[in-house]
Amino acid sequence: CGFTYSFSTFSRALKTEFHLSESEIGTIGVVQLGVGLITCSAGLLVDRVGVTGGLLVGVVVNSGSWFLYGLVANRVVSVSYPVWVFSGLSATATLGGACVTASVFTVLAKNFGERRAVPIGIAKAWVGTAAGIGTELFV
C-alpha cells in the first residue's frame, strides 16, 4: 500500500546508517512486494472475523510493525541482522495494511452495492496518493 511506495524516501538513510549494500536494500524493498502475493489472506481473515475484527488486527499488526521498525532504524533497539529484521517487519506491516484495506473495501462494496465502482476507485487512488502526500509533509 502507501508505505510500499514510500520505501525509497527512507531506504538511503537505512543504507547509510546500517552500512547496507544495494542488494540488501533491494531485499528489504522487495519483501513488501513479495508478501503482496499472499495478501488475499487478509480478505479471508475479514470474511472470517468481520470488518471490525479485520480492521483491529490490521491496525495492531501494521502499527506495531512500523513502531518496531522505527525503534530499530533509530537504534533504540539493537539487532544483529538488520536486513532480516527490516524485511520481517516490512512483511508483517504489509499484511497488517492488507487487513485494513480489505476491511475498508468490504465496507465500500457492501454499502454501495451496484454503485460501488466510484467509491472503490477513489479509495484505491488514495492508497497510492497518501504516500506522496505523506512524503511531502514529512520529508
Side-chain angles (χ1 to χ4, degrees), residues 79-91:
V79 297
S80 299
Y81 303 103
V83 173
W84 293 106
V85 172
F86 289 134
S87 296
L89 290 171
S90 294

Side-chain angles (χ1 to χ4, degrees), residues 61-119:
V61 170
N62 186 274
S63 300
S65 296
W66 286 117
F67 180 72
L68 291 172
Y69 201 105
L71 291 177
V72 173
N74 288 295
R75 296 195 182 266
V76 174
V77 174
S78 180
V79 297
S80 299
Y81 303 103
V83 173
W84 293 106
V85 172
F86 289 134
S87 296
L89 290 171
S90 294
T92 55
T94 300
L95 288 171
C99 290
V100 171
T101 302
S103 298
V104 169
F105 280 68
T106 298
V107 168
L108 292 174
K110 288 184 177 180
N111 286 308
F112 285 93
E114 294 297 317
R115 296 185 319 245
R116 66 181 172 251
V118 171

Side-chain angles (χ1 to χ4, degrees), residues 3-4 7 23-39 66 69 82-95:
F3 48 83
T4 301
F7 180 68
S23 65
E24 289 172 322
I25 284 295
T27 297
I28 297 167
V30 81
V31 163
Q32 297 174 28
L33 300 174
V35 169
L37 297 173
I38 62 164
T39 56
W66 286 117
Y69 201 105
V83 173
W84 293 106
V85 172
F86 289 134
S87 296
L89 290 171
S90 294
T92 55
T94 300
L95 288 171

Side-chain angles (χ1 to χ4, degrees), residues 31-66:
V31 163
Q32 297 174 28
L33 300 174
V35 169
L37 297 173
I38 62 164
T39 56
C40 58
S41 60
L44 297 172
L45 177 72
V46 170
D47 287 345
R48 179 90 171 175
V49 301
V51 169
T52 304
L55 190 59
L56 211 69
V57 167
V59 166
V60 169
V61 170
N62 186 274
S63 300
S65 296
W66 286 117

Side-chain angles (χ1 to χ4, degrees), residues 7-19:
F7 180 68
S8 63
T9 62
F10 59 87
S11 61
R12 183 174 293 155
L14 285 180
K15 183 178 179 182
T16 302
E17 181 67 26
F18 291 91
H19 309 290

